[in-house]
Amino acid sequence: MHAMQYELTLPADYDMGVIRDRVARLGHLLDDWDGLGVKAYLIRERGLRGSPVDQYAPFYLWNTVEGMNAFLWGGGFQGLSDDFGRPSVRQWTGLAYEEGGGSHARFAVRRRQPVPASAPLAEAVGDAVREVRRLAAEDGALLAAAAVDTSRWELVHFSLWEHDTPKADGDVFEVLHLSAPDLDRLPRGRRW
């Protein structure tokens, strides 16, 4: 599993209806993308749920590197780059993934945190795996994942929720659409 996200931070007076309309028109295009476990089309709006910014920030969990590369290099990503400029794309290697009992994604929580320099690596990733299990077991959780960027020694926790009171810390996003063609192929549990 590979996690990926880019963020388009928009001007404070940006009409977020433009993003909502874009997702409504184009979101279905990844509903059958080979190698894609899940893409959550996410937005945050300044002043709502603690957000300091207006932002479009899709989050992906990929089953295959080939699927991710086909998206980035084969045209799926080009339309966004043409319309908004080419954003930096963050990538993390998957550590753990679990599914919860929720049924409809309305909100997502993403938390990035440094891997503590003083902690043994096995302890740090063990904590991340336990947090994935905890989040997935919470009422209203659809899924939870953790991944790591070893170039920055940064962990990312990502979870999807059917309600607006998630039991997770981090940045809260509204889910506009969910493409999940290969969700059932995302490997459960810890990834080593």
Side-chain angles (χ1 to χ4, degrees):
M1 178 184 72
H2 305 277
M4 184 180 94
Q5 186 178 39
Y6 47 86
E7 299 171 324
L8 300 174
T9 300
L10 302 161
D13 61 350
Y14 191 83
D15 178 4
M16 293 301 283
V18 171
I19 300 297
R20 290 177 185 281
D21 291 344
R22 177 187 183 87
V23 171
R25 280 185 296 107
L26 303 173
H28 72 280
L29 295 176
L30 268 69
D31 286 353
D32 62 357
W33 195 275
D34 284 338
L36 176 61
V38 65
K39 176 183 180 178
Y41 296 76
L42 307 178
I43 64 168
R44 314 196 273 169
E45 294 186 73
R46 191 172 131 186
L48 295 178
R49 291 177 276 292
S51 178
V53 296
D54 286 334
Q55 194 173 63
Y56 176 51
F59 196 96
Y60 303 73
L61 294 175
W62 293 96
N63 289 321
T64 68
V65 172
E66 293 83 4
M68 181 174 66
N69 285 341
F71 174 76
L72 289 170
W73 316 125
F77 184 65
Q78 190 62 52
L80 177 102
S81 296
D82 290 346
D83 292 347
F84 293 98
R86 187 183 310 151
S88 175
V89 179
R90 302 287 308 273
Q91 296 181 30
W92 300 268
T93 301
L95 294 173
Y97 170 78
E98 297 289 347
E99 290 187 356
S103 61
H104 180 71
R106 291 183 52 228
F107 294 93
V109 179
R110 185 219 47 215
R111 178 171 45 109
R112 295 186 304 223
Q113 67 185 77
V115 175
S118 61
L121 292 174
E123 182 180 307
V125 296
D127 289 346
V129 170
R130 283 186 288 281
E131 178 67 357
V132 165
R133 288 184 193 134
R134 182 194 74 78
L135 289 171
E138 291 289 345
D139 182 48
L142 276 72
L143 63 82
V148 64
D149 174 349
T150 55
S151 73
R152 297 174 185 234
W153 290 109
E154 177 187 70
L155 288 168
V156 64
H157 293 269
F158 179 74
S159 51
L160 290 174
W161 301 84
E162 63 184 5
H163 54 72
D164 64 354
T165 55
K167 299 270 181 6
D169 294 327
D171 297 321
V172 178
F173 296 85
E174 180 183 353
V175 178
L176 299 181
H177 181 75
L178 198 67
S179 293
D182 289 339
L183 182 63
D184 60 334
R185 292 186 185 169
L186 282 174
R188 306 319 186 258
R190 130 186 147 150
R191 301 304 340 135
W192 73 97

